[in-house]
């Protein structure tokens, strides 16, 4: 993507779309300074340039500029008109990620119900966006009610869908979390793809299959099996597709599986690495508070809980502390 964008850049310097797509390509290559520069160039040419807004949201999320990212996307909402359902729902999805870090649980639920799910319920990108946001909400301790069941009703048609590994992985988790029998059907379809797929067979065998097995185990509360399978898949998950922000869901699930299978030392390491880019985030600090308490480090647990409380207090619509475990 970056190679193509840079090749045509010299004759498209006045085209905002080109700079916006270049920004996203830079961001996916971890070239964050270049990504931000290209995104701001695009927005200088055309404020309503959704891919530039999207790329800049990625940069801010990756660098832990949570309040700035939320304010930036809030200021761009008036331009989210006339977009296809993916672009519209995905920009709202990114705003929801900032709100999750801020502890604004009611706003995240509102975004899911009004802006992320229900726009095009049969469209693959809307479906995986809904799966990802619901899963993140639960990981943050939010009770999502019967929303999985509604989503599962629309994912049921994906029981044999092995077109793209990254999509299939999320279909399976949504079906498993909704308690649908089609989750088993789709897992068998993945096993067939691992044996017979004409393309990407290695990805199906060595990445998608263990990821799906791990996610189903997690949905069934078999956290040790979830840890075992996801640990195999995650180092190579980039081969299945998706952006950094999208794939981060599975890092979060692996981390929660570590906590639930009593791997507190592993969890502490992973959580402190996450906190480097989400210093005062409510979910990460709430989890750290629990982990430090389990490790017999009460002073560090208190500091983590205090950081989470301070973040909630900065936002007028902040919620009460999340429970120490998610409702899964």
């Amino acid at each position: 993507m970056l190679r193509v964008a840079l090749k045509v850049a010299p004759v498209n310097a006045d085209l905002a779309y080109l700079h916006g797509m270049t920004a996203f390509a830079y961001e996916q290559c971890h070239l964050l300074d270049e990504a931000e520069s290209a995104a701001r160039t695009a927005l200088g040419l055309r404020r309503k340039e959704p891919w530039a807004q999207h790329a800049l949201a990625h940069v801010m999320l990756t660098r832990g500029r949570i309040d700035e990212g939320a304010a930036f996307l809030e200021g761009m909402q008036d331009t989210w008109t006339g977009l296809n359902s993916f672009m519209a729902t995905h920009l709202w999805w990114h705003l929801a990620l900032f709100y999750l870090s801020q502890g604004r649980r009611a706003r995240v639920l509102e975004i899911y119900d009004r802006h992320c799910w229900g726009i095009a319920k049969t469209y693959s990108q809307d479906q995986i966006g809904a799966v990802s946001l619901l899963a993140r909400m639960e990981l943050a301790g939010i009770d999502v009610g019967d929303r999985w069941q509604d989503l599962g009703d629309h994912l049921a048609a994906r029981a044999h869908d092995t077109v793209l590994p990254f999509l299939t992985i999320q279909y399976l988790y949504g079906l498993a979390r909704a308690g649908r029998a089609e989750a088993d059907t789709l897992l068998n379809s993945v096993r067939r793809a691992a044996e017979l797929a004409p393309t990407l067979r290695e990805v199906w065998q060595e990445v998608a299959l263990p990821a799906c097995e791990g996610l189903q185990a997690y949905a069934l509360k078999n956290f040790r099996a979830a840890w075992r399978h996801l640990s195999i898949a995650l180092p190579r998950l980039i081969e299945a597709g998706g952006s950094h922000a999208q794939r981060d869901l599975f890092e979060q699930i692996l981390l929660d599986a570590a906590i639930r299978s009593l791997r507190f030392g592993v969890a502490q390491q992973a959580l402190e690495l996450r906190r480097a880019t989400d210093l005062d985030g409510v979910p990460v600090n709430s989890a750290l508070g629990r982990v430090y308490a389990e490790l017999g480090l009460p002073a560090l647990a208190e500091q983590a809980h205090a950081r989470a409380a301070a973040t909630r207090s900065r936002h007028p619509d902040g919620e009460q502390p999340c429970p120490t475990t998610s409702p899964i």
Side-chain angles (χ1 to χ4, degrees), residues 24 71 89-90 113 122 137 143 157 171 212 226 266 270 303 322:
F24 187 59
T89 60
H90 196 60
D113 290 337
T122 61
M137 284 193 280
D143 183 354
Y171 298 150
C212 288
V266 172
Q303 291 171 19
C322 298

Side-chain angles (χ1 to χ4, degrees), residues 68-294:
E68 181 185 359
F72 167 69
L73 290 180
E74 287 169 346
M76 290 293 178
Q77 288 176 31
D78 64 295
T79 69
W80 300 347
T81 58
L83 306 177
N84 66 28
S85 66
F86 165 71
M87 197 75 255
T89 60
H90 196 60
L91 287 167
W92 281 105
W93 181 90
H94 271 279
L95 181 55
L97 299 195
F98 289 122
Y99 285 165
L100 275 173
S101 177
Q102 294 174 332
R104 300 165 74 176
R105 299 160 69 191
R107 286 290 289 123
V108 177
L109 282 167
E110 180 187 358
I111 286 175
Y112 179 88
D113 290 337
R114 294 185 57 190
H115 303 292
C116 282
W117 182 238
I119 309 304
K121 289 188 174 184
T122 61
Y123 182 37
S124 61
Q125 296 296 329
D126 288 37
Q127 289 174 348
I128 67 164
V131 169
S132 178
L133 189 52
L134 275 186
R136 289 165 190 263
M137 284 193 280
E138 288 199 318
L139 288 163
I142 299 172
D143 183 354
V144 302
D146 61 359
R147 290 173 177 84
W148 281 115
Q149 283 63 49
D150 178 49
L151 179 53
D153 289 345
H154 292 83
L155 291 173
R158 302 290 182 180
H160 299 283
D161 191 328
T162 54
V163 175
L164 291 173
F166 184 69
L167 299 181
T168 298
I169 290 167
Q170 291 174 93
Y171 298 150
L172 186 133
Y173 183 69
L175 288 166
R177 186 64 191 88
R180 302 282 309 211
E182 290 87 354
D184 292 327
T185 304
L186 183 55
L187 184 56
N188 287 329
S189 296
V190 173
R191 289 177 177 135
R192 285 193 295 274
E195 294 179 0
L196 304 171
T199 60
L200 299 177
R201 189 177 303 172
E202 183 177 295
V203 176
W204 285 109
Q205 289 175 345
E206 300 175 17
V207 182
L209 180 55
C212 288
E213 290 172 335
L215 290 170
Q216 186 178 56
Y218 181 82
L220 295 173
K221 301 183 182 180
N222 186 346
F223 301 116
R224 292 186 180 278
W227 165 266
R228 184 171 64 254
H229 291 301
L230 290 171
S231 294
I232 294 169
L234 260 62
R236 294 177 54 187
L237 196 61
I238 189 174
E239 297 175 46
S243 70
H244 308 313
Q246 289 175 312
R247 291 193 302 272
D248 184 61
L249 167 65
F250 307 107
E251 296 282 352
Q252 292 186 42
I253 291 175
L254 177 65
L255 175 53
D256 195 57
I259 294 172
R260 291 168 177 276
S261 57
L262 309 183
R263 292 175 168 86
F264 297 118
V266 172
Q268 183 274 337
Q269 296 281 301
L271 283 164
E272 286 294 1
L273 287 173
R274 293 187 71 83
R275 197 168 72 87
T277 55
D278 192 9
L279 189 62
D280 299 314
V282 171
V284 69
N285 280 291
S286 297
L288 268 172
R290 178 192 174 191
V291 166
Y292 279 128
E294 295 284 357

Side-chain angles (χ1 to χ4, degrees), residues 297-327:
L297 295 164
L300 290 172
E302 184 178 345
Q303 291 171 19
H305 285 307
R307 288 191 296 267
T311 296
R312 281 191 294 267
S313 70
R314 289 202 305 270
H315 303 287
D317 54 351
E319 298 291 323
Q320 294 301 309
C322 298
T324 56
T325 59
S326 71

